[in-house]
Amino acid sequence: MVVVLVVVAGVVVLVVVVAGVVVLVVVVVVVVPGSVAPSCAAVTGLAADDDGVALRVTSAVSLPLPHAASTPTAAQTRMVVDRRTRRPYRSIGAERGRAVTVRRMGFRLANVDDRAVLVSPDELTYHDVADASGGTLSPDPMATLAVAEQLAELAVTLPSRAPTGSIADVTLGPPVPHPQKVFGIGLNYRDHAAETSKAVPDEPLVFTKFPSCLVGPTADIELRSDGVDYEGELVVVIGRSGRDIVAADAWNHVVGLMVGQDVSDRPQQYASTPPHFDLGKSFDTFGPTGPWLVALEDVPDPTQLRIVTEVNGEVRQDGTTADLILDVPTLIEYLSRIATLTTGDLIFTGTPAGVGAASGRFLRDGDVVTTTISGLGTMTNRCADR
């Protein structure tokens, strides 16, 4: 083991190397008299800005900064997109130092008995939002989507609070139970387009799902025919409303992501020409979502999420959001040119290859559909004839 201690301009850097691998880096900022250390004074760790917004610092800032006005405020934080990877991150530009990149503390928002709850970091317990906030935040899951900053602040305090209950003891509802609009995107993975023998569309193939189809992550899927299919998908949740949103600013309008199943009754979908995408995908129970909304800040890279759908333990779909033909910013830009996107609107972003229609293997009574997206969670839905 090699330990290296370097002191440069009031910054102490401790590096521990074991077997040629750096296992620990600690940065300590020494504040000289007459200077004010900003609240974001570490390479990684927790901090808070002047407005008390919880931040996770992910890169360093040159110090010292001569006055507190140089410390980032909540108003200065915004989601930006890396031009190469299109990966979103929070960024702050400090006037008197290097740029600071931070990520606000995230949260996991769930729905228990139509009340908003925050899920603990270990995903085993939950805290009722209204109770934990002393009544300052609404119990309505839809209302909480508009106060993401307050939810992040509240989430930081969860480890010091007694939980309301155990996740294992409750039935979760859809995290966003009453969106104004639910969009679906068809043929947004090349392998899925190929398996259906359809050409990749020049523009997004957009359909709608009726909000009444939404159910929770463990709800039964009701089968009305012998041709009901599964489609595991990433679901985007709009936070800040907007119209004519440009792609470069799109992630600023996203509050979080969820796992979704775009269940489809193929006979109904293709009962007419052109197809009834909306009707075939909007039967009651045809929109499982959950298990919770994961705030964008808690998703390491939404452009690299693995999507797996299993039926009775057999993997049927195994894809990644890296293969999306039209990425999330492009979809938001396109949709917002047509309709104002409002808080809580959902976008089912498309499904990878492996759907039942391609092999003739549709869902049957008693089948169990398990849908997992890395970093977002798992849904388990049983199929039942009706």
Side-chain angles (χ1 to χ4, degrees), residues 229-277:
D229 208 345
Y230 51 86
E231 294 188 11
E233 306 198 9
L234 171 69
V235 179
V236 173
V237 184
I238 297 298
R240 180 159 58 90
S241 298
R243 182 181 182 188
D244 294 323
I245 301 167
V246 297
D249 192 42
W251 285 113
N252 281 308
H253 293 263
V254 176
V255 66
L257 305 172
M258 303 187 296
V259 182
Q261 263 292 338
D262 178 21
V263 184
S264 308
D265 188 300
R266 302 302 187 192
Q268 180 63 55
Q269 182 179 347
Y270 294 103
S272 181
T273 303
H276 290 304
F277 273 72

Side-chain angles (χ1 to χ4, degrees), residues 270-284:
Y270 294 103
S272 181
T273 303
H276 290 304
F277 273 72
D278 50 356
L279 293 179
K281 293 170 174 285
S282 291
F283 282 79
D284 288 354

Side-chain angles (χ1 to χ4, degrees), residues 187-249:
L187 303 179
N188 204 19
Y189 287 79
R190 293 188 186 280
D191 56 359
H192 174 53
E195 73 176 351
T196 59
S197 301
K198 293 182 173 63
V200 175
D202 294 330
E203 292 194 359
L205 174 57
V206 181
F207 57 89
T208 57
K209 291 173 71 75
F210 303 159
S212 57
C213 78
L214 297 174
V215 291
T218 61
D220 285 354
I221 298 171
E222 298 178 359
L223 308 181
R224 297 295 192 100
S225 78
D226 292 332
V228 177
D229 208 345
Y230 51 86
E231 294 188 11
E233 306 198 9
L234 171 69
V235 179
V236 173
V237 184
I238 297 298
R240 180 159 58 90
S241 298
R243 182 181 182 188
D244 294 323
I245 301 167
V246 297
D249 192 42

Side-chain angles (χ1 to χ4, degrees), residues 137-222:
L137 297 181
S138 170
D140 181 4
M142 299 303 299
T144 58
L145 298 175
V147 291
E149 289 184 359
Q150 289 93 318
L151 287 177
E153 294 168 10
L154 184 61
V156 174
T157 71
L158 296 187
S160 63
R161 297 175 180 272
T164 303
S166 170
I167 292 292
D169 295 334
V170 296
T171 299
L172 297 176
V176 184
H178 306 294
Q180 184 186 90
K181 297 182 286 295
V182 181
F183 297 99
I185 309 297
L187 303 179
N188 204 19
Y189 287 79
R190 293 188 186 280
D191 56 359
H192 174 53
E195 73 176 351
T196 59
S197 301
K198 293 182 173 63
V200 175
D202 294 330
E203 292 194 359
L205 174 57
V206 181
F207 57 89
T208 57
K209 291 173 71 75
F210 303 159
S212 57
C213 78
L214 297 174
V215 291
T218 61
D220 285 354
I221 298 171
E222 298 178 359

Side-chain angles (χ1 to χ4, degrees), residues 77-81 88-91 248-249 251-252 296-297:
T77 66
R78 69 187 304 272
M79 193 69 73
V80 261
V81 178
Y89 57 91
R90 293 279 180 192
S91 180
D249 192 42
W251 285 113
N252 281 308
L296 197 57
E297 290 79 359

